[in-house]
Amino acid sequence: MEPSLQLQTAIRAALLDDPAVIALVGADSIRAGSTRPDKMPCIILADPQTINLGRSSGGAYLTRVYIDVHIWALEDGADMARQIGGAVTGALWDSPLPVQDINEYERPSFKYIRDPDPEKAYAHGVGTVEAVVRWLP
């Protein structure tokens, strides 16, 4: 499997499997794709970036993968976004990939942004998960 899809799938599975995340965001609102929110609160996995590093043993490739994790919240705005970010961080504290598929893993870090329009109470958190993935073509 292509490494960014492999990591994205593992991240989504880890989030869906975590009770703290599911308590704040419904399973149908944790998805990959466009960063435009369609339901709130939601977690959107988007904007994968890959950097091919070289070869590994057994004919495998090594690729550094970055996946952005977007958190959108409306109710309680920034506080809710930060609560969701905390739950996501806990769910992804350890690598969501099996040890045989990973060379390096960085825990997610988040930045939170309020909507500049005072009429809206949107809050947006953006985090990044980074891993060096070992994969076979």
Side-chain angles (χ1 to χ4, degrees):
M1 182 185 294
E2 194 274 336
S4 67
L5 285 173
Q6 184 180 358
L7 181 59
Q8 178 180 287
T9 300
I11 290 170
R12 185 170 186 272
L15 296 177
L16 291 172
D17 196 43
D18 190 277
V21 172
I22 295 300
L24 297 169
V25 180
D28 62 334
S29 294
I30 299 172
R31 62 174 180 79
S34 165
T35 58
R36 184 176 301 276
D38 50 357
K39 299 177 191 176
M40 298 235 203
C42 65
I43 299 170
I44 303 170
L45 307 173
D47 308 319
Q49 177 187 359
T50 58
I51 300 171
N52 294 310
L53 302 175
R55 295 186 185 270
S56 181
S57 61
Y61 293 99
L62 291 175
T63 300
R64 184 173 303 278
V65 179
Y66 301 89
I67 302 280
D68 287 343
V69 179
H70 293 265
I71 297 169
W72 287 94
L74 182 56
E75 190 173 321
D76 298 326
D79 290 343
M80 177 58 80
R82 286 194 304 265
Q83 286 180 37
I84 295 167
V88 168
T89 298
L92 299 175
W93 194 258
D94 296 314
S95 171
L97 288 170
V99 70
Q100 69 268 17
D101 294 341
I102 192 110
N103 260 34
E104 187 179 312
Y105 178 73
E106 295 292 327
R107 294 180 175 101
S109 57
F110 285 92
K111 179 176 182 170
Y112 300 95
I113 307 141
R114 271 192 148 323
D115 193 302
D117 184 345
E119 299 291 318
K120 298 176 182 169
Y122 291 113
H124 182 202
V126 181
T128 301
V129 176
E130 175 187 345
V132 175
V133 179
R134 192 175 319 116
W135 60 287
L136 292 170

